[in-house]
Amino acid sequence: MAELTPTEIVRLNITDTSTTPLFTDDQINAWLIQYDGSINRATYRALVTIATSTVLVSKKIRTQDLSTDGPSEATALLALAKTYKDEADQSDANEDSFFEIIPFGGSNRNEAEEWRL
């Protein structure tokens, strides 16, 4: 089986696999670039975008034999999006990255003066 590209994995995550996709490759690649290649964060952003569109386009509608509930669909999409964001946050927290704060100034000593204990 061929290895999937990050763009294809994002598409699978959001079930955007039809012959007429919701997003172009350029749009998905833009999210991947925005989030430094993080598939989970790009998936999160795509799902948030879908949820936003759902709320804007699919209002809560009831007719005689049809009903749609855009706000409920959006809520479910946002909950799913949060799982991808949480996974990305956890992955970032598990990495061995660190930073150190080095205080500047505040010393009453000259630059080359020794510190005596």
Side-chain angles (χ1 to χ4, degrees):
M1 186 163 128
E3 189 171 323
L4 298 175
T5 66
T7 300
E8 291 169 328
I9 294 170
V10 171
R11 282 197 190 286
L12 283 174
N13 288 345
I14 63 172
T15 65
D16 188 16
T17 57
S18 71
T19 55
T20 55
L22 295 171
F23 300 110
T24 66
D25 285 349
D26 288 342
Q27 289 170 312
I28 293 174
N29 287 330
W31 288 318
L32 287 165
I33 290 167
Q34 178 183 6
Y35 294 111
D36 296 323
S38 171
I39 292 169
N40 282 343
R41 290 192 193 285
T43 299
Y44 162 78
R45 179 50 54 200
L47 287 169
V48 168
T49 302
I50 294 169
T52 302
S53 295
T54 300
V55 167
L56 294 174
V57 175
S58 300
K59 311 289 187 227
K60 188 169 185 171
I61 301 169
R62 270 207 173 124
T63 63
Q64 293 173 349
D65 60 345
L66 173 71
S67 70
T68 63
D69 193 351
S72 289
E73 288 178 38
T75 299
L77 286 167
L78 291 173
L80 178 60
K82 185 178 179 328
T83 64
Y84 283 100
K85 184 177 182 303
D86 291 347
E87 284 179 21
D89 290 345
Q90 185 61 44
S91 176
D92 289 349
N94 290 339
E95 288 183 5
D96 291 331
S97 61
F98 68 93
F99 69 95
E100 183 177 347
I101 298 174
I102 301 172
F104 291 100
S107 174
N108 294 330
R109 299 187 183 279
N110 293 325
E111 184 175 325
E113 191 176 345
E114 285 185 32
W115 283 84
R116 298 192 189 270
L117 299 176

